[in-house]
Amino acid sequence: LATGPRQNNSIFYEIRTYDIKPSKMKEFVEMVNKYFHLRTAHSELVGFWSAELGAMNKVVHVWKYDNFAHRAAVRHALANDKDWQEKFLSPALPLIEKQHNEVAYLVPWCQLGKPPKEGGVYEWVTFQMKPGGPALWGEAFRAAVNAHINTGYTKLIGVFHTEYGLLNTVHVIWWNESPDHRAAGRHSAHEDARVVAAVRDSVRFLESQQNLLLIPLQCSPLK
């Protein structure tokens, strides 16, 4: 049922979410900072974050692939990379409690953005929409996103909808200078009649929503 406009290329993004054992989070982050160049030598990392609010001991990372054959080739190369397997993967796996991955596309009206400067925080918002895909809720959702952009308090990084994983899931990544800057802007937005109207129209298609405040790791291209 998830039908609607699709981008005119085969590029997709793999979203990986790992729950780390609480006592091992510091060790895991140190390993990522030390050895993750071995992984990024094989394919493009978009961003790598740890959750500060909304979840604990959780990391999220996003990878870009040209197509599914590209991903298969990368996975094959990683399986045969002794440095990656011995220095990072084997020691890191015992630190991880749970892994989850999704394949997602950028929505057709969104380009992947970058923050205006380094520093700041990222807000990762996951919306579970009603079945039907962008053909059903796409325009209303776009209007709600644009209404928030137009307030000027936040920077849109990307809007993704799932192809594999739980369907009709949309992930929106925002950048703000600080948690307090985000809070002040959001309070103002809630008093903006244009935002209220756009959100009211969009939530007709909404099943649930979850927000995470994310901090980029040292290895993250998006900082």
Side-chain angles (χ1 to χ4, degrees), residues 153-198:
Y153 80 90
T154 188
K155 165 71 175 176
L156 179 66
I157 301 299
V159 182
F160 304 86
H161 66 101
T162 53
E163 183 75 7
Y164 289 100
L166 187 60
L167 291 183
N168 298 295
T169 301
V170 184
H171 301 288
V172 184
I173 309 175
W174 301 94
W175 178 90
N176 287 282
E177 290 185 13
S178 69
D180 286 320
H181 184 264
R182 181 261 184 197
R186 194 159 177 81
H187 287 314
S188 297
H190 287 167
E191 298 173 357
D192 187 316
R194 296 166 299 177
V195 175
V196 172

Side-chain angles (χ1 to χ4, degrees), residues 54-192:
M56 297 182 71
N57 304 302
K58 185 184 293 288
V59 297
V60 181
H61 39 126
V62 179
W63 300 89
K64 181 180 179 181
Y65 293 103
D66 296 334
N67 48 47
F68 289 98
H70 178 211
R71 180 185 184 275
V74 169
R75 302 302 298 174
H76 179 76
L78 287 168
N80 290 283
D81 185 330
K82 281 192 66 176
D83 271 356
W84 168 249
Q85 294 288 331
E86 294 175 3
K87 292 181 180 178
F88 181 83
L89 193 61
S90 292
L93 285 177
L95 312 182
I96 301 171
E97 283 195 329
K98 185 168 62 175
Q99 295 175 298
H100 176 71
N101 77 329
E102 299 167 284
V103 165
Y105 292 96
L106 280 170
V107 296
W109 44 268
C110 176
Q111 300 293 319
L112 192 63
K114 292 184 177 181
K117 59 183 180 181
E118 287 193 4
V121 296
Y122 291 79
E123 183 178 10
W124 183 288
V125 190
T126 298
F127 299 92
Q128 186 59 41
M129 308 301 290
K130 292 182 184 296
L136 175 67
W137 43 256
E139 287 305 313
F141 193 88
R142 180 181 185 179
V145 168
N146 284 337
H148 283 87
I149 293 172
N150 292 338
T151 63
Y153 80 90
T154 188
K155 165 71 175 176
L156 179 66
I157 301 299
V159 182
F160 304 86
H161 66 101
T162 53
E163 183 75 7
Y164 289 100
L166 187 60
L167 291 183
N168 298 295
T169 301
V170 184
H171 301 288
V172 184
I173 309 175
W174 301 94
W175 178 90
N176 287 282
E177 290 185 13
S178 69
D180 286 320
H181 184 264
R182 181 261 184 197
R186 194 159 177 81
H187 287 314
S188 297
H190 287 167
E191 298 173 357
D192 187 316

Side-chain angles (χ1 to χ4, degrees), residues 28-78:
F28 181 84
V29 170
E30 288 174 349
M31 288 186 60
V32 169
N33 289 334
K34 185 174 182 180
Y35 292 117
F36 223 61
H37 65 280
L38 299 172
R39 174 61 184 86
T40 54
H42 289 274
S43 65
E44 182 179 348
L45 175 66
V46 174
F48 199 128
W49 303 268
S50 63
E52 181 73 13
L53 297 172
M56 297 182 71
N57 304 302
K58 185 184 293 288
V59 297
V60 181
H61 39 126
V62 179
W63 300 89
K64 181 180 179 181
Y65 293 103
D66 296 334
N67 48 47
F68 289 98
H70 178 211
R71 180 185 184 275
V74 169
R75 302 302 298 174
H76 179 76
L78 287 168

